[in-house]
C-alpha cells in the first residue's frame, strides 16, 4: 500500500513496491483535498501577505512584531507552494514538475512545520522569561536579539527539514511520474537488506519529526504557560489586564496543536503499517481515509493565524469600523499603554514587576 495518492508531503512507500489502492475509488477524498488546498492557498497567501506587509513595513518594530512576522513568513512560504500540491492532486497524482521541485516542495512543507513550532516555543519562552525575570527581560530583551533568535530558529528548521530534500525522489509508475520518499535511495524494492534500510530510515524520520516537530516543542510550550498561569493567578487584576494578548497566542498554539496532531498520529500509524508484524487491512483502511484528512487539516493551519489576529485582536464592531492596519496593530501591540493605569496604582515594590509583566504578557 502507498500513500502517494493522499499525502504530497509524506509519501513513504515505493511507487511500485507494495501495491496501491485505486485512487479513482477515493474521488471524494481527492476532491476534498483539492478544495482545502485551494482555500488554504488563497487565504494563506492573502492573509499572511497582509500580515507581512503590515508587520514588516507599517508598524514599529518590537520583539512581538519580530515573532509574528517570522511566523507569517513561514506560513506564506508554505502556502505559496500549495499550487504544486493542487496540480499533483488534480492530475490524479502525476508529478509534472521534475525531481528538484518534488524535493523542494516537501522540504518547504516541513520547513514550515519546524519553523512554526519553534517560533511558538520562542514566543512561549519569551513570555515566561518576562513574567519570571521581568527586570532581566527589560534590560536584555530587544529587537536585535529577537532577530538573532529568529535566524537561529530558521537555521534549526532548515537542518531538520534538509533530509527530506535528500530522500524525496521521483519515479515512473505506469503512465505517471510519482513523487515519493525513497529512503533507501535505490530502485531496488526486493533485496532484504535494502528493504530493511528503507524501513529503518522511515522509522527514524517519522520518530524525528514527531518528537522534534511536535512532542518536545509542545512540552516546552505547556511548561512555559503553566509557569505564566501560576504567576498570573497571584494577581487577578493583572491577569485581566493581560488577557487579550495571552488569548491570542494561546489560540495560535491550540490551533497549531489541533491542526498538526492528526498528521503526526497518522505518520506513526503509517510507520507501524510498514512493519511486517503490524501490517493489517485495518491500518490500511485507516491510512487510506485518514491521511488525506489529516494532511488537509495540517495545511489549513497556515491560513488560520491571520484570521485569529483579526478576530481576537478587536471586538467585532471595532473590526468592522477599523482598517486592517489598525486591527493588526491592536492584535500585535505591546502592552505598555494598556497597563499603564494599573501599574501606577500599586506600590513601588510591586510597580516594577507588574509593569514589566504587563509589557510582554
Amino acid at each position: 500500500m502507498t500513500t502517494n495518492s493522499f499525502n504530497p508531503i509524506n509519501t513513504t512507500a515505493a511507487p511500485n513496491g507494495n501495491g496501491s489502492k485505486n485512487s479513482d475509488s477515493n474521488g471524494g477524498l481527492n476532491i476534498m483535498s483539492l478544495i482545502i488546498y485551494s482555500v488554504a492557498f488563497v487565504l494563506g497567501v492573502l492573509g499572511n501577505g497582509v500580515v507581512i506587509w503590515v508587520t514588516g513595513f507599517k508598524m514599529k518594530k518590537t520583539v512581538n512584531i519580530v515573532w509574528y512576522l517570522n511566523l507569517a513568513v513561514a506560513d506564506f512560504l508554505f502556502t505559496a507552494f500549495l499550487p504544486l500540491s493542487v496540480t499533483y492532486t488534480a492530475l490524479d497524482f502525476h508529478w509534472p514538475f521534475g525531481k528538484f521541485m518534488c524535493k523542494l516542495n516537501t522540504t518547504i512543507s516541513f520547513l514550515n512545520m519546524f519553523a512554526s513550532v519553534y517560533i511558538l516555543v520562542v514566543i512561549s519562552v519569551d513570555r515566561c522569561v518576562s513574567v519570571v525575570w521581568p527586570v532581566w527581560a527589560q534590560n536584555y530583551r530587544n529587537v536585535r536579539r529577537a532577530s538573532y533568535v529568529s535566524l537561529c530558529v530558521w537555521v534549526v528548521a532548515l537542518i531538520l527539514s534538509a533530509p527530506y530534500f535528500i530522500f524525496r525522489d521521483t519515479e515512473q509508475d505506469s503512465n505517471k511520474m510519482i513523487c515519493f520518499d525513497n529512503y533507501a535511495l535505490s530502485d531496488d524494492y526486493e533485496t532484504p537488506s535494502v528493504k530493511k534500510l528503507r524501513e529503518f530510515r522511515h522509522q527514524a524520520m517519522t520518530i524525528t519529526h514527531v518528537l522534534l516537530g511536535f512532542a518536545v516543542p509542545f512540552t516546552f510550550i505547556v511548561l512555559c504557560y503553566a509557569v505564566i498561569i501560576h504567576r498570573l493567578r497571584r494577581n487577578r487584576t493583572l491577569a485581566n489586564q493581560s488577557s487579550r494578548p495571552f488569548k491570542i497566542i494561546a489560540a495560535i498554539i491550540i490551533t497549531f496543536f489541533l491542526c498538526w496532531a492528526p498528521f503526526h498520529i497518522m505518520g506513526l500509524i503509517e510507520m507501524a503499517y510498514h512493519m511486517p508484524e503490524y501490517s493489517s487491512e485495518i491500518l490500511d483502511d485507516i491510512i487510506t481515509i485518514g491521511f488525506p484528512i489529516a494532511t488537509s487539516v495540517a495545511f489549513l493551519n497556515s491560513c488560520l493565524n491571520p484570521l485569529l489576529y483579526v478576530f481576537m485582536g478587536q471586538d467585532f464592531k471595532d473590526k468592522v469600523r477599523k482598517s486592517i492596519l489598525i486591527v493588526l496593530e491592536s492584535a500585535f501591540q505591546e502592552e505598555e499603554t494598556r497597563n499603564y493605569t494599573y501599574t501606577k496604582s500599586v506600590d513601588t515594590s510591586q510597580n516594577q514587576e507588574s509593569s514589566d509583566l504587563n509589557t510582554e504578557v
Side-chain angles (χ1 to χ4, degrees):
M1 181 266 176
T2 176
T3 57
N4 283 331
S5 301
F6 304 116
N7 189 13
I9 68 172
N10 196 31
T11 302
T12 57
N16 59 355
N18 299 324
S20 176
K21 290 184 180 292
N22 190 336
S23 62
D24 292 338
S25 64
N26 298 281
L29 290 173
N30 296 346
I31 293 173
M32 177 207 69
S33 297
L34 275 173
I35 294 173
I36 293 179
Y37 294 174
S38 300
V39 170
F41 167 69
V42 174
L43 295 182
V45 168
L46 293 178
N48 289 294
V50 169
V51 173
I52 292 171
W53 174 68
V54 171
T55 58
F57 303 100
K58 298 295 181 179
M59 296 176 66
K60 178 183 177 181
K61 288 292 184 297
T62 65
V63 173
N64 284 349
I65 292 299
V66 172
W67 305 145
Y68 290 116
L69 174 60
N70 279 273
L71 194 59
V73 169
D75 288 336
F76 181 87
L77 188 62
F78 170 72
T79 53
F81 276 77
L82 276 180
L84 300 181
S85 297
V86 171
T87 304
Y88 187 45
T89 307
L91 293 178
D92 197 19
F93 308 99
H94 166 68
W95 184 263
F97 304 109
K99 181 181 293 188
F100 176 80
M101 291 305 297
C102 171
K103 292 174 175 289
L104 183 62
N105 186 47
T106 301
T107 303
I108 292 296
S109 300
F110 281 96
L111 178 66
N112 163 260
M113 182 191 75
F114 285 117
S116 296
V117 73
Y118 283 112
I119 290 171
L120 294 179
V121 170
V122 168
I123 293 174
S124 302
V125 172
D126 174 55
R127 292 174 183 274
C128 185
V129 169
S130 298
V131 168
V132 178
W133 299 288
V135 176
W136 184 94
Q138 185 178 27
N139 293 332
Y140 294 98
R141 183 179 177 273
N142 56 50
V143 172
R144 185 176 181 180
R145 288 190 172 91
S147 299
Y148 288 150
V149 171
S150 299
L151 178 60
C152 291
V153 167
W154 282 101
V155 171
V156 170
L158 186 60
I159 292 173
L160 292 175
S161 58
Y164 296 95
F165 190 87
I166 297 172
F167 292 126
R168 203 65 169 175
D169 198 1
T170 57
E171 184 168 324
Q172 192 73 30
D173 182 24
S174 298
N175 60 340
K176 298 179 183 179
M177 184 64 71
I178 303 298
C179 179
F180 72 109
D181 287 330
N182 186 359
Y183 288 122
L185 301 176
S186 170
D187 58 0
D188 180 359
Y189 305 109
E190 303 299 331
T191 304
S193 60
V194 177
K195 291 173 68 175
K196 185 169 292 188
L197 175 62
R198 181 178 284 109
E199 181 180 317
F200 172 77
R201 287 177 174 172
H202 178 198
Q203 294 172 8
M205 292 290 287
T206 300
I207 293 172
T208 297
H209 79 64
V210 170
L211 289 180
L212 299 184
F214 191 74
V216 173
F218 267 94
T219 299
F220 275 97
I221 290 172
V222 170
L223 290 176
C224 287
Y225 277 90
V227 172
I228 292 173
I229 292 172
H230 175 73
R231 178 59 70 93
L232 291 181
R233 281 180 175 176
R234 296 170 56 184
N235 193 319
R236 292 291 182 179
T237 304
L238 180 58
N240 292 333
Q241 292 284 340
S242 305
S243 61
R244 178 172 291 173
F246 182 87
K247 288 179 179 179
I248 292 173
I249 187 57
I252 294 171
I253 291 171
I254 292 172
T255 300
F256 187 95
F257 177 87
L258 294 177
C259 287
W260 281 99
F263 175 83
H264 291 289
I265 292 172
M266 291 307 306
L268 292 173
I269 293 174
E270 185 197 33
M271 180 185 71
Y273 175 84
H274 287 288
M275 297 172 156
E277 60 269 30
Y278 297 114
S279 181
S280 68
E281 283 297 322
I282 295 178
L283 289 184
D284 191 340
D285 293 337
I286 291 174
I287 294 170
T288 300
I289 297 173
F291 240 134
I293 297 174
T295 303
S296 298
V297 172
F299 282 13
L300 277 177
N301 177 251
S302 294
C303 70
L304 293 179
N305 286 342
L307 299 178
L308 292 175
Y309 300 149
V310 171
F311 286 101
M312 298 191 69
Q314 287 284 353
D315 294 331
F316 181 75
K317 290 183 179 180
D318 290 338
K319 293 195 298 286
V320 174
R321 295 172 182 171
K322 295 182 179 180
S323 67
I324 294 177
L325 174 60
I326 297 176
V327 171
L328 291 177
E329 284 178 338
S330 175
F332 292 138
Q333 70 182 355
E334 306 284 343
E335 289 299 288
E336 292 114 350
T337 302
R338 294 182 191 170
N339 298 309
Y340 178 77
T341 302
Y342 170 75
T343 56
K344 292 291 289 183
S345 65
V346 296
D347 60 73
T348 303
S349 62
Q350 293 177 327
N351 187 38
Q352 178 65 48
E353 178 179 356
S354 298
S355 177
D356 291 325
L357 178 60
N358 290 340
T359 300
E360 302 306 332
V361 177

